[in-house]
Amino acid sequence: MAHSFDVIVVGGGVIGSTIAWELAKTGRNVLLLERNHIGAEASSAAAGMLGAQLEVNQPGAFSQLCLESRARYPAFVDELYEETGIDPQLTHNGIVQLAYSEDEVEALQAKMRWQVESGARAIWLSGAEAAAEEPGISECLGALLLPDDSNVNAPLLMQALARAVKRRAVVEEGAEVFAIQHCASGGYEVSTQGGRAFAPVVVAANGAWASRLLGSLGMSVEVQPVKGQLLSIRPRRARALVRTLFSRHAYLVPKRDGTIVVGATEDRAAGFNRDVTIDAIAALLAHVQRIVPVLRDAGFEQSWVGLRPGSSDGLPWIGEVPDHPGLYAAVGHFRNGMLLAPVTGAMLVHAVEHVPWPSHWEVFRARRRTSERGESAHEHLGQR
Ligand code: FAD
Ligand code: GLY
């Protein structure tokens, strides 16, 4: 006889852990199954930018979703800190998007206009003003300052979430789900090497591996790994950089421990390959030297890889799976899973409790195919 739960969540990244935590807080008996350990994959690898204004290109549902999730962050991390004693280090340092060509100036000024019209703060800086804002940077033509975009420490956020989930839910690590089967009497049986568990509600939140698992149920969910390489450096001087800097080729995210996280490559052809390569790291370091020459003497700390869960249109795929009552998906968060975790948790609680969604969430609702959504992410996602 399989063990019974109210909810089984598959995948212990930021998305699955947040969902498990939020559903457990509603009083449900939740089982989280993670094949490795919580935070083993993309979620601890992330740079941790909460780029609600950075990572979008036009007004609309995606922009609203990102802003909403950013607004939820202070309460989210406060509650995690209170429950676990681990501080995810939410830092309100703003993001500066740098322009080195007239085309970039034009695109960033257009972005500033629609963001200001939508009520967000976005400030144009001349080259001289950008240099006054961040004295270490090289000459640029201008920059867009997004003072309300922020960042968290992704590994610490995952440690806090792991502890929080373990306090409220049953967590099995080292438990790879290889099958989800619909039961004739309703609900689902979920199988791992260690045994079987049953629940009327199952949530697939297994990141870049979602297509395999949901595919075994005959569903075509178009999520593929998008490899990203990052590195971290330690400047010799304190506060060598205060704002997060973002250029077309690289970004630099200053962390509270004094390091700067530098990212990131975006490689769709690499599949599940996790090699750190000399060419990628050398290119990122060259960009660092070009963008912030004073960092030339910074110490090299480490490099690593993460696999972004990229849906075919770059937008997340959230909610009850068509024709599979009780089976939910929360996948395809691509470049913004850290940012979107709080709102995704809320969307799943609404969906499981059959509370109607606000209209701007609807475009992200799980459909048979992402192409049925009629909205293309390429129009929404930030230019790089
Ligand atoms: P994951 O964190 O990958 O978690 C999925 C989990 O499912 C894994 O732990 C895996 O082991 C588990 N799993 C898989 N298959 C099974 C199975 N069959 N059974 C049990 N468990 C299974 N986002 C931001 O918002 N801001 C950023 O600055 C940012 N920077 C990034 C930089 C890089 C280089 C990368 C790679 C990503 C970045 N992201 C960023 C994106 C963000 O990391 C992802 O969108 C987010 O982590 C996705 O979370 P997830 O929980 O869906 O996936
Ligand atoms: N959001 C930053 C990245 O995915 O690299």
Side-chain angles (χ1 to χ4, degrees):
M1 178 69 185
H3 295 293
S4 287
F5 293 85
D6 296 327
V7 181
I8 299 173
V9 178
V10 181
V14 72
I15 299 301
S17 302
T18 302
I19 290 166
W21 185 48
E22 294 294 349
L23 286 171
K25 284 194 289 181
T26 66
R28 289 175 169 78
N29 185 17
V30 177
L31 170 66
L32 172 66
L33 295 169
E34 162 56 48
R35 63 169 189 183
N36 196 321
H37 60 84
I38 288 182
E41 296 288 352
S43 302
S44 295
M49 291 180 287
L50 305 182
Q53 292 175 247
L54 171 77
E55 295 268 9
V56 295
N57 228 9
Q58 66 173 42
F62 186 62
S63 169
Q64 266 180 286
L65 193 77
C66 290
L67 291 171
E68 179 182 353
S69 206
R70 188 184 69 188
R72 287 174 180 267
Y73 242 93
F76 180 61
V77 294
D78 282 355
E79 197 179 345
L80 278 174
Y81 185 36
E82 216 163 274
E83 282 208 7
T84 66
I86 300 172
D87 180 1
Q89 300 188 346
L90 174 62
T91 304
H92 298 283
N93 63 329
I95 297 181
V96 175
Q97 213 172 342
L98 299 160
Y100 296 101
S101 69
E102 290 300 342
D103 283 355
E104 285 176 332
V105 168
E106 208 173 296
L108 289 180
Q109 288 186 337
K111 177 172 173 172
M112 176 190 66
R113 283 192 290 276
W114 71 255
Q115 294 207 340
V116 168
E117 273 163 27
S118 339
R121 290 201 301 160
I123 300 159
W124 183 253
L125 304 175
S126 65
E129 287 167 336
E133 190 74 25
E134 277 297 345
I137 63 172
S138 60
E139 198 177 327
C140 64
L141 290 184
L144 183 60
L145 169 62
L146 306 169
D148 299 320
D149 273 354
S150 44
N151 85 83
V152 285
N153 183 311
L156 285 178
L157 180 74
M158 289 316 300
Q159 284 175 31
L161 268 172
R163 191 174 288 178
V165 176
K166 286 173 184 173
R167 281 166 53 103
R168 289 185 180 265
V170 178
V171 175
E172 281 186 28
E173 294 173 300
E176 178 162 9
V177 172
F178 59 83
I180 300 173
Q181 278 172 308
H182 189 245
C183 302
S185 52
Y188 295 88
E189 192 176 82
V190 175
S191 306
T192 66
Q193 291 295 350
R196 292 169 297 138
F198 170 86
V201 171
V202 172
V203 184
N206 59 326
W209 298 266
S211 299
R212 288 184 187 174
L213 191 61
L214 292 172
S216 72
L217 279 163
M219 277 178 295
S220 154
V221 180
E222 299 142 358
V223 179
Q224 58 159 323
V226 183
K227 179 181 175 183
Q229 299 189 50
L230 308 99
L231 59 93
S232 64
I233 56 174
R234 185 175 289 278
R236 292 203 186 276
R237 286 165 292 277
R239 295 177 67 80
L241 194 64
V242 175
R243 305 282 195 192
T244 293
L245 299 181
F246 192 97
S247 85
R248 202 176 269 275
H249 302 293
Y251 53 75
L252 294 91
V253 190
K255 297 292 173 182
R256 275 206 226 156
D257 65 2
T259 61
I260 297 175
V261 171
V262 179
T265 60
E266 206 181 284
D267 185 353
R268 285 175 185 275
F272 290 95
N273 173 287
R274 293 160 190 279
D275 295 342
V276 174
T277 60
I278 289 175
D279 58 347
I281 299 306
L284 289 173
L285 288 173
H287 291 310
V288 170
Q289 294 186 64
R290 226 168 279 142
I291 298 167
V292 196
V294 298
L295 291 175
R296 277 207 177 91
D297 63 353
F300 183 87
E301 293 254 308
Q302 56 176 323
S303 55
W304 65 96
V305 166
L307 301 176
R308 301 176 185 87
S311 64
S312 56
D313 63 2
L315 297 177
W317 209 79
I318 300 167
E320 196 167 34
V321 172
D323 306 329
H324 292 77
L327 179 64
Y328 295 78
V331 296
H333 290 72
F334 189 34
R335 294 179 59 92
N336 294 297
M338 310 313 290
L339 168 67
L340 294 173
V343 78
T344 303
M347 290 165 91
L348 253 292
V349 171
H350 276 63
V352 168
E353 296 192 335
H354 303 290
V355 176
W357 278 8
S359 59
H360 70 278
W361 290 0
E362 283 300 329
V363 72
F364 310 104
R365 192 181 279 286
R367 300 267 193 271
R368 243 171 234 95
R369 289 185 179 279
T370 45
S371 54
E372 285 177 24
R373 293 196 279 212
E375 190 157 347
S376 159
H378 302 298
E379 293 158 15
H380 288 271
L381 301 175
Q383 269 196 337
R384 279 170 292 279

